[in-house]
Amino acid sequence: MLETLQAFISRHREPAYLLLRRYFSENRCFLLRNELQDGLQALMADKNLPELAHTPLGEMIRDAQEAVLSAPWVYFAVRPRVGRWWYLRLHVDDLYPDSVEASEFLGFKERLISAQAGTERPLEFDIEPFDRGFPKLRESRSIGRGMEFLNRKLSSQLFDGGDQGLEKLFHFLHEHCCEGQILMINERVRNVNELRGVIRRCEKLLNGYARHTPWAEVAPLLRDVGLEPGWGSDVGRILETLRLLSDLLEAPSPETLERFLARIPMIFSLLILSPHGFFGQANVLGRPDTGGQVVYILDQVRALEREMRSRLQAQGLHIEPRILVVTRLIPEAQGTSCDQPVERINGTRNAQILRVPFRSKEGEIIPHWISRFEIWPYLERFADDVEQTVRAELGTRPDLIIGNYSDGNLVATLLSARMQVTQCHIAHALEKTKYLYSDLYWKENEAQYHFSCQFTADLIAMNAADFIITSTYQEIAGTDHSVGQYESYSAFSMPGLYRVVKGIDVFDPKFNIVSPGADAEVYFSYKDSERRLHGLHDELQTLIFGTPSEDMRGTLKHPERPLIFTMARLDRIKNIAGLVQWYAENEALREQANLLIVAGYTDAGKSADREEQEQIGYLHHLFTTHGLDEQVRWLGVRLDKVFAGELYRFIADRRGVFVQPALFEAFGLTVIEAMVSGLPTFATHYGGPLEIIEHGQSGFHIDPMRGDQASAQLLAFLRECEQDPDYWVRISHGGMERVERHYTWSLYAQRMMTLSRIYGFWKYVTNLERAEARRYLEMFYALQYRPLARSLTGE
Ligand code: UDP
Ligand code: LCN
C-alpha cells in the first residue's frame, strides 16, 4: 500500500501538493474524516480531476480517519479495513509518504496539545506483547464471534496433543460440585481410559431402561460405576450426554465440545455488578445515569434465571440458581428503594438486588447520589465490601461475575482476580466515543467528567475480562467508515498522562455479540388488543392532552394530529433539545404533527445533575423563543415500564412515530421497544440504531448533525402516510418483525449461558487467563488508576 502511494505521488506531485495546501489553509491542527473527504472533493471539482478519487492518493484519503497538521508535516491515521490501522506522514515539500508507528503518530499529536509533551517520553500502555502467540481472528467479518473461533482453534490445539488434552478434559469433569455435592464423576474414575470404560458400561446398563426413567431410579447403579448427578434428568438425556462425551473422546470436534459443555452444570450462581445510578425496580428510570442499563440488567436476570434453571433441571439437578445484582446503597434515596440493602427481583424466584454503600476514606457512608463521573474514589473500598457481602450471602464464590459499565467492570476485575472467577464485561456505553477528542483534551474536561479515571478503568477492565459481550457489531469495530467504541481504545493519547499504543485488539476472540431484547411481557404490538392495558387510556389521554400539571409544559392545540414521540434521560448526548429545535424550525412539520417529549424534569431545581439542569434550561428557552407551547408537550415525569409500554402503543394507535435523535447511542433500548410496539422509528445513525434498523424497511436512520434533513424526513413520511396509510403499516410491521427475529431475551440467555461455559472451560484447561497480562494490569491499576481516583477527593 505504501509503495503504491509513494510511486503515485512521485509521478503526480501536483495534486498531492495542492491537497496538502488545501488542508493547511484550514488553519487547523486536526482534521476529521469528513473534512478530509470534503477537501479532496473540493480539489477534484476545482481542478477538474474526478479520476483522483480512484488513485492511491484518493483511496488513502477515503480511508483516512484523521489528519494531524503542523507545517511542514501532515500525519494521517488511515483505516483501510475495519479494525486495521496504518499511520503515515507526509512532508509538504518533499511529499514522500512514510509509514510511522502509532507511538510516533500519537507523539506528534501530543506536541500540538501540550507544550511539555516531547520533552520526556511518556508512559506507554501496550498490551500487545502479552498477546503474542494467542489466537486472533483475521477477518473483520468474524469480529464478535469469538467463541466459535476460540473453540475451533483451541480444540485442535488441545486434542491434537494426544491424550494430554483429554486428560485435561477429564480433570475438568472431576472439578464439578455444588453445595458440597459431587457432580459428573467421582473418585472411582481415575483417568481417561477408565472414563472410556465407564461410559461403555453405563451405556450398556441404561439400554435396558425406558428413556423417560428418571435419574433417581438409575442413580445407585451409575454411582457404583463412578457417575454422579449432572448427566441428565432421565435415561434418554443421560445417554445423549454420555454419547457426546464418548464422541469427544473418540474424535474431538469443536461442535461436539460445544454441545457437551452446554450440558455441564457449571453455573449455579451469578454476581452482576452495577454500582452507579439509582438501581431499583420502580420510580427510577429516566433519572440521571439511570436508564437502559437498569432495564437491561433486570430483564437479563429474569431471562438468565429461567435459562439456568431449565439447564440444571434438564441435567437432573434440583438446585435453584442464585443471581445477585450488587449496586450502591443510597441513603438519600429520593423516594426510591435505593436505601434498602436487599430487594427481591420481580419475576424471579431467587434473584436479589443487594445494596452496599459507598464509604469515605474514614469509613463513613456516603449518603447522597453521586454522578457516574464522580464515583471513582469509592470503588476499591466498595469491591472489598461487596466481596464480604457476597461470600456471606452465597456461602461461597459465584461461578461467573458480570460487570456493567466502566465502574461495574472495574469492580468485576478486582473481584474476579481475588475470587478466581470467570469475568464477563458489558460496557453498555463507552463514554470515549460520545465526546469528541475526550482523550486528547482530557485535561479541559477533567473537572466535569474525570475521563482520566474512566478510560484507565476501561483499559484495565476490558483487558482483564475473560469475555466481552456487546449488543452490536459496530460497538466493537464500527463500520467501514466509522470507528468502533472498543476500537477507539486501540491507540489514543491523554497528553501529559499516558499514551496507549495498543489498548485493545478488536480481533481478540474475547468479543461476542449478544444483543439484548425488549421485555415481551411489557413491549408488544399495538395490534395485540387482548393484552392491551385499556384501563390506562384515560390517564394517558390526560397526560398527553390534558391541562398540564407542574411537571409538564405545553398544551396541544390540535390533538387530532399524529404524535412525534421521544423518551430519554435528559443527557446532552441524547439530543432532545436538538429534536425540539429541528421541529421548531420546520413550520410545515409543526402543522403536520405534535411533538411529545418524556424527559427529565421541567423544573431544573429538582435535578442534581449538571448536564440535566443545563438541558432543562435550554428546552425552556426553545419553547419560549419558538412559541412551542401549543405544539409540543413536555412531560418531566418518570414513567414506569408498564405505563411506558402502553404509551408507545397508544401513540401507534394514533399513527404516530418515535424519534431517537441522540448524537450517539450505544445501543438504544427505546428504539427496539418502540419498534416492537409497532411505532415507525427514526433513530440516529451514530451507534447501535444503525445496525438495529434497516433504513426504509424497519424504520429510518437520521443524521442528528443534519436536523433540517431529519425534520424533512419526518415530514415526508407523515405526509406520505396521509396519502397512503399502508405505508405506515408497512414500516410498522417491518420494525416489529425485525425485533421479534433478532432482539429477544431468550436468545440472549441461551447464548450467554453457552459463552460462560465455553470461556470457563478454556480458562481452566489452557492459559487463557494470561497471567502476565493480569499482573501488568494490576500494576497499571496501582500506579495509574489508584492515584487518579484518589485525586478526586483531594487526597
Ligand atoms: N425509560 C422509562 N421511562 C422513562 C425514561 C426511560 O421506562 O421515563 C426506559 C426506556 O423505556 C428504556 C430505558 O429507560 O428501557 C432507556 O434505555 P436506552 O437504552 O434507550 O437509553 P439509556 O438511558 O440506557 O442511555
Ligand atoms: C446504555 C446506553 O446508553 C444504551 O445505548 C443501551 O441501550 C443501554 O445502556 C443498555 O445496554
Side-chain angles (χ1 to χ4, degrees), residues 260-282:
F260 178 67
L261 290 179
R263 294 176 172 225
I264 303 285
M266 287 167 69
I267 314 283
F268 307 97
S269 61
L270 299 184
L271 170 59
I272 299 179
L273 293 154
S274 180
H276 74 257
F278 286 92
F279 196 108
Q281 300 185 82

PDB file of all heavy atoms in Angstrom, residues 260-282:
ATOM      1  N   PHE A 260     -21.388 -30.613  24.277  1.00  0.00           N
ATOM      2  CA  PHE A 260     -21.158 -31.304  25.545  1.00  0.00           C
ATOM      3  C   PHE A 260     -21.080 -30.289  26.696  1.00  0.00           C
ATOM      4  O   PHE A 260     -21.755 -30.428  27.716  1.00  0.00           O
ATOM      5  CB  PHE A 260     -19.876 -32.134  25.456  1.00  0.00           C
ATOM      6  CG  PHE A 260     -19.546 -32.837  26.741  1.00  0.00           C
ATOM      7  CD1 PHE A 260     -20.354 -33.867  27.221  1.00  0.00           C
ATOM      8  CD2 PHE A 260     -18.440 -32.463  27.499  1.00  0.00           C
ATOM      9  CE1 PHE A 260     -20.076 -34.506  28.430  1.00  0.00           C
ATOM     10  CE2 PHE A 260     -18.146 -33.101  28.703  1.00  0.00           C
ATOM     11  CZ  PHE A 260     -18.968 -34.122  29.172  1.00  0.00           C
ATOM     12  N   LEU A 261     -20.291 -29.245  26.478  1.00  0.00           N
ATOM     13  CA  LEU A 261     -20.130 -28.257  27.562  1.00  0.00           C
ATOM     14  C   LEU A 261     -21.445 -27.559  27.899  1.00  0.00           C
ATOM     15  O   LEU A 261     -21.678 -27.180  29.045  1.00  0.00           O
ATOM     16  CB  LEU A 261     -19.082 -27.214  27.184  1.00  0.00           C
ATOM     17  CG  LEU A 261     -17.624 -27.686  27.140  1.00  0.00           C
ATOM     18  CD1 LEU A 261     -16.713 -26.541  26.728  1.00  0.00           C
ATOM     19  CD2 LEU A 261     -17.182 -28.236  28.490  1.00  0.00           C
ATOM     20  N   ALA A 262     -22.299 -27.409  26.878  1.00  0.00           N
ATOM     21  CA  ALA A 262     -23.580 -26.747  27.113  1.00  0.00           C
ATOM     22  C   ALA A 262     -24.371 -27.485  28.195  1.00  0.00           C
ATOM     23  O   ALA A 262     -25.262 -26.925  28.826  1.00  0.00           O
ATOM     24  CB  ALA A 262     -24.379 -26.689  25.821  1.00  0.00           C
ATOM     25  N   ARG A 263     -24.037 -28.769  28.402  1.00  0.00           N
ATOM     26  CA  ARG A 263     -24.800 -29.566  29.376  1.00  0.00           C
ATOM     27  C   ARG A 263     -24.124 -29.642  30.739  1.00  0.00           C
ATOM     28  O   ARG A 263     -24.744 -30.111  31.698  1.00  0.00           O
ATOM     29  CB  ARG A 263     -24.930 -30.993  28.855  1.00  0.00           C
ATOM     30  CG  ARG A 263     -25.777 -31.033  27.611  1.00  0.00           C
ATOM     31  CD  ARG A 263     -25.829 -32.407  27.043  1.00  0.00           C
ATOM     32  NE  ARG A 263     -26.805 -32.419  25.968  1.00  0.00           N
ATOM     33  CZ  ARG A 263     -27.709 -33.356  25.793  1.00  0.00           C
ATOM     34  NH1 ARG A 263     -27.758 -34.379  26.617  1.00  0.00           N
ATOM     35  NH2 ARG A 263     -28.554 -33.288  24.813  1.00  0.00           N
ATOM     36  N   ILE A 264     -22.884 -29.248  30.807  1.00  0.00           N
ATOM     37  CA  ILE A 264     -22.177 -29.431  32.081  1.00  0.00           C
ATOM     38  C   ILE A 264     -22.707 -28.436  33.117  1.00  0.00           C
ATOM     39  O   ILE A 264     -22.763 -27.233  32.857  1.00  0.00           O
ATOM     40  CB  ILE A 264     -20.661 -29.173  31.900  1.00  0.00           C
ATOM     41  CG1 ILE A 264     -20.099 -30.097  30.838  1.00  0.00           C
ATOM     42  CG2 ILE A 264     -19.906 -29.332  33.205  1.00  0.00           C
ATOM     43  CD1 ILE A 264     -19.937 -31.498  31.296  1.00  0.00           C
ATOM     44  N   PRO A 265     -23.098 -28.932  34.270  1.00  0.00           N
ATOM     45  CA  PRO A 265     -23.584 -27.996  35.291  1.00  0.00           C
ATOM     46  C   PRO A 265     -22.417 -27.217  35.898  1.00  0.00           C
ATOM     47  O   PRO A 265     -21.738 -27.707  36.787  1.00  0.00           O
ATOM     48  CB  PRO A 265     -24.250 -28.904  36.334  1.00  0.00           C
ATOM     49  CG  PRO A 265     -23.723 -30.273  36.075  1.00  0.00           C
ATOM     50  CD  PRO A 265     -23.160 -30.332  34.705  1.00  0.00           C
ATOM     51  N   MET A 266     -22.208 -26.034  35.358  1.00  0.00           N
ATOM     52  CA  MET A 266     -21.064 -25.231  35.820  1.00  0.00           C
ATOM     53  C   MET A 266     -21.509 -23.941  36.476  1.00  0.00           C
ATOM     54  O   MET A 266     -20.784 -23.344  37.242  1.00  0.00           O
ATOM     55  CB  MET A 266     -20.183 -24.826  34.622  1.00  0.00           C
ATOM     56  CG  MET A 266     -19.374 -25.933  34.029  1.00  0.00           C
ATOM     57  SD  MET A 266     -18.709 -25.420  32.419  1.00  0.00           S
ATOM     58  CE  MET A 266     -17.513 -24.199  32.873  1.00  0.00           C
ATOM     59  N   ILE A 267     -22.709 -23.467  36.086  1.00  0.00           N
ATOM     60  CA  ILE A 267     -23.094 -22.128  36.535  1.00  0.00           C
ATOM     61  C   ILE A 267     -24.329 -22.230  37.435  1.00  0.00           C
ATOM     62  O   ILE A 267     -25.432 -22.509  36.964  1.00  0.00           O
ATOM     63  CB  ILE A 267     -23.407 -21.211  35.322  1.00  0.00           C
ATOM     64  CG1 ILE A 267     -22.337 -21.333  34.237  1.00  0.00           C
ATOM     65  CG2 ILE A 267     -23.622 -19.771  35.757  1.00  0.00           C
ATOM     66  CD1 ILE A 267     -21.054 -20.607  34.510  1.00  0.00           C
ATOM     67  N   PHE A 268     -24.092 -22.013  38.712  1.00  0.00           N
ATOM     68  CA  PHE A 268     -25.186 -22.072  39.687  1.00  0.00           C
ATOM     69  C   PHE A 268     -25.487 -20.690  40.251  1.00  0.00           C
ATOM     70  O   PHE A 268     -26.592 -20.405  40.676  1.00  0.00           O
ATOM     71  CB  PHE A 268     -24.816 -23.000  40.856  1.00  0.00           C
ATOM     72  CG  PHE A 268     -24.388 -24.358  40.391  1.00  0.00           C
ATOM     73  CD1 PHE A 268     -23.048 -24.661  40.243  1.00  0.00           C
ATOM     74  CD2 PHE A 268     -25.331 -25.314  40.083  1.00  0.00           C
ATOM     75  CE1 PHE A 268     -22.660 -25.906  39.798  1.00  0.00           C
ATOM     76  CE2 PHE A 268     -24.952 -26.568  39.636  1.00  0.00           C
ATOM     77  CZ  PHE A 268     -23.603 -26.863  39.487  1.00  0.00           C
ATOM     78  N   SER A 269     -24.465 -19.872  40.290  1.00  0.00           N
ATOM     79  CA  SER A 269     -24.698 -18.539  40.858  1.00  0.00           C
ATOM     80  C   SER A 269     -23.952 -17.477  40.067  1.00  0.00           C
ATOM     81  O   SER A 269     -22.840 -17.710  39.572  1.00  0.00           O
ATOM     82  CB  SER A 269     -24.233 -18.508  42.316  1.00  0.00           C
ATOM     83  OG  SER A 269     -22.863 -18.779  42.376  1.00  0.00           O
ATOM     84  N   LEU A 270     -24.593 -16.341  39.954  1.00  0.00           N
ATOM     85  CA  LEU A 270     -24.024 -15.218  39.194  1.00  0.00           C
ATOM     86  C   LEU A 270     -23.948 -13.999  40.079  1.00  0.00           C
ATOM     87  O   LEU A 270     -24.852 -13.748  40.869  1.00  0.00           O
ATOM     88  CB  LEU A 270     -24.935 -14.809  38.039  1.00  0.00           C
ATOM     89  CG  LEU A 270     -25.265 -15.772  36.931  1.00  0.00           C
ATOM     90  CD1 LEU A 270     -26.107 -15.050  35.888  1.00  0.00           C
ATOM     91  CD2 LEU A 270     -23.958 -16.214  36.299  1.00  0.00           C
ATOM     92  N   LEU A 271     -22.886 -13.247  39.877  1.00  0.00           N
ATOM     93  CA  LEU A 271     -22.797 -11.945  40.521  1.00  0.00           C
ATOM     94  C   LEU A 271     -22.778 -10.896  39.413  1.00  0.00           C
ATOM     95  O   LEU A 271     -21.935 -10.957  38.509  1.00  0.00           O
ATOM     96  CB  LEU A 271     -21.505 -11.874  41.353  1.00  0.00           C
ATOM     97  CG  LEU A 271     -21.140 -10.501  41.888  1.00  0.00           C
ATOM     98  CD1 LEU A 271     -22.237  -9.943  42.784  1.00  0.00           C
ATOM     99  CD2 LEU A 271     -19.824 -10.568  42.673  1.00  0.00           C
ATOM    100  N   ILE A 272     -23.723  -9.967  39.479  1.00  0.00           N
ATOM    101  CA  ILE A 272     -23.819  -8.922  38.456  1.00  0.00           C
ATOM    102  C   ILE A 272     -23.560  -7.589  39.146  1.00  0.00           C
ATOM    103  O   ILE A 272     -24.199  -7.278  40.154  1.00  0.00           O
ATOM    104  CB  ILE A 272     -25.216  -8.940  37.800  1.00  0.00           C
ATOM    105  CG1 ILE A 272     -25.437 -10.299  37.127  1.00  0.00           C
ATOM    106  CG2 ILE A 272     -25.369  -7.805  36.808  1.00  0.00           C
ATOM    107  CD1 ILE A 272     -26.783 -10.468  36.446  1.00  0.00           C
ATOM    108  N   LEU A 273     -22.629  -6.822  38.611  1.00  0.00           N
ATOM    109  CA  LEU A 273     -22.252  -5.570  39.284  1.00  0.00           C
ATOM    110  C   LEU A 273     -22.694  -4.355  38.487  1.00  0.00           C
ATOM    111  O   LEU A 273     -22.414  -4.255  37.283  1.00  0.00           O
ATOM    112  CB  LEU A 273     -20.731  -5.532  39.459  1.00  0.00           C
ATOM    113  CG  LEU A 273     -20.257  -6.600  40.432  1.00  0.00           C
ATOM    114  CD1 LEU A 273     -18.831  -7.005  40.144  1.00  0.00           C
ATOM    115  CD2 LEU A 273     -20.385  -6.099  41.860  1.00  0.00           C
ATOM    116  N   SER A 274     -23.361  -3.444  39.154  1.00  0.00           N
ATOM    117  CA  SER A 274     -23.814  -2.212  38.503  1.00  0.00           C
ATOM    118  C   SER A 274     -23.853  -1.111  39.561  1.00  0.00           C
ATOM    119  O   SER A 274     -24.914  -0.769  40.082  1.00  0.00           O
ATOM    120  CB  SER A 274     -25.212  -2.449  37.917  1.00  0.00           C
ATOM    121  OG  SER A 274     -25.675  -1.291  37.282  1.00  0.00           O
ATOM    122  N   PRO A 275     -22.693  -0.578  39.941  1.00  0.00           N
ATOM    123  CA  PRO A 275     -22.663   0.312  41.110  1.00  0.00           C
ATOM    124  C   PRO A 275     -23.400   1.641  40.965  1.00  0.00           C
ATOM    125  O   PRO A 275     -24.146   2.030  41.856  1.00  0.00           O
ATOM    126  CB  PRO A 275     -21.155   0.568  41.323  1.00  0.00           C
ATOM    127  CG  PRO A 275     -20.439  -0.489  40.549  1.00  0.00           C
ATOM    128  CD  PRO A 275     -21.357  -0.890  39.435  1.00  0.00           C
ATOM    129  N   HIS A 276     -23.228   2.366  39.863  1.00  0.00           N
ATOM    130  CA  HIS A 276     -23.695   3.764  39.858  1.00  0.00           C
ATOM    131  C   HIS A 276     -25.211   3.889  39.657  1.00  0.00           C
ATOM    132  O   HIS A 276     -25.889   2.922  39.361  1.00  0.00           O
ATOM    133  CB  HIS A 276     -22.958   4.554  38.768  1.00  0.00           C
ATOM    134  CG  HIS A 276     -23.423   4.217  37.382  1.00  0.00           C
ATOM    135  ND1 HIS A 276     -22.719   3.418  36.539  1.00  0.00           N
ATOM    136  CD2 HIS A 276     -24.531   4.575  36.705  1.00  0.00           C
ATOM    137  CE1 HIS A 276     -23.366   3.305  35.397  1.00  0.00           C
ATOM    138  NE2 HIS A 276     -24.475   3.996  35.470  1.00  0.00           N
ATOM    139  N   GLY A 277     -25.695   5.113  39.780  1.00  0.00           N
ATOM    140  CA  GLY A 277     -27.093   5.423  39.469  1.00  0.00           C
ATOM    141  C   GLY A 277     -28.066   4.930  40.527  1.00  0.00           C
ATOM    142  O   GLY A 277     -27.685   4.440  41.587  1.00  0.00           O
ATOM    143  N   PHE A 278     -29.330   5.096  40.205  1.00  0.00           N
ATOM    144  CA  PHE A 278     -30.392   4.590  41.077  1.00  0.00           C
ATOM    145  C   PHE A 278     -30.793   3.232  40.528  1.00  0.00           C
ATOM    146  O   PHE A 278     -31.486   3.151  39.517  1.00  0.00           O
ATOM    147  CB  PHE A 278     -31.612   5.511  41.034  1.00  0.00           C
ATOM    148  CG  PHE A 278     -31.420   6.803  41.767  1.00  0.00           C
ATOM    149  CD1 PHE A 278     -30.940   7.938  41.115  1.00  0.00           C
ATOM    150  CD2 PHE A 278     -31.718   6.895  43.121  1.00  0.00           C
ATOM    151  CE1 PHE A 278     -30.770   9.131  41.794  1.00  0.00           C
ATOM    152  CE2 PHE A 278     -31.557   8.097  43.803  1.00  0.00           C
ATOM    153  CZ  PHE A 278     -31.073   9.213  43.146  1.00  0.00           C
ATOM    154  N   PHE A 279     -30.321   2.165  41.174  1.00  0.00           N
ATOM    155  CA  PHE A 279     -30.684   0.850  40.656  1.00  0.00           C
ATOM    156  C   PHE A 279     -31.856   0.313  41.467  1.00  0.00           C
ATOM    157  O   PHE A 279     -31.707  -0.037  42.633  1.00  0.00           O
ATOM    158  CB  PHE A 279     -29.498  -0.127  40.732  1.00  0.00           C
ATOM    159  CG  PHE A 279     -29.717  -1.334  39.861  1.00  0.00           C
ATOM    160  CD1 PHE A 279     -29.005  -1.498  38.698  1.00  0.00           C
ATOM    161  CD2 PHE A 279     -30.689  -2.266  40.187  1.00  0.00           C
ATOM    162  CE1 PHE A 279     -29.246  -2.588  37.871  1.00  0.00           C
ATOM    163  CE2 PHE A 279     -30.942  -3.347  39.375  1.00  0.00           C
ATOM    164  CZ  PHE A 279     -30.217  -3.519  38.216  1.00  0.00           C
ATOM    165  N   GLY A 280     -33.022   0.285  40.847  1.00  0.00           N
ATOM    166  CA  GLY A 280     -34.201  -0.211  41.553  1.00  0.00           C
ATOM    167  C   GLY A 280     -35.235  -0.658  40.545  1.00  0.00           C
ATOM    168  O   GLY A 280     -35.004  -0.597  39.325  1.00  0.00           O
ATOM    169  N   GLN A 281     -36.381  -1.080  41.051  1.00  0.00           N
ATOM    170  CA  GLN A 281     -37.387  -1.617  40.135  1.00  0.00           C
ATOM    171  C   GLN A 281     -38.549  -0.667  39.915  1.00  0.00           C
ATOM    172  O   GLN A 281     -39.451  -0.975  39.156  1.00  0.00           O
ATOM    173  CB  GLN A 281     -37.903  -2.948  40.668  1.00  0.00           C
ATOM    174  CG  GLN A 281     -36.787  -3.965  40.807  1.00  0.00           C
ATOM    175  CD  GLN A 281     -37.307  -5.318  41.230  1.00  0.00           C
ATOM    176  OE1 GLN A 281     -37.761  -6.078  40.412  1.00  0.00           O
ATOM    177  NE2 GLN A 281     -37.264  -5.621  42.511  1.00  0.00           N
ATOM    178  N   ALA A 282     -38.569   0.438  40.625  1.00  0.00           N
ATOM    179  CA  ALA A 282     -39.683   1.365  40.431  1.00  0.00           C
ATOM    180  C   ALA A 282     -39.195   2.789  40.613  1.00  0.00           C
ATOM    181  O   ALA A 282     -38.280   3.049  41.408  1.00  0.00           O
ATOM    182  CB  ALA A 282     -40.777   1.079  41.460  1.00  0.00           C
TER     183      ALA A 282
END
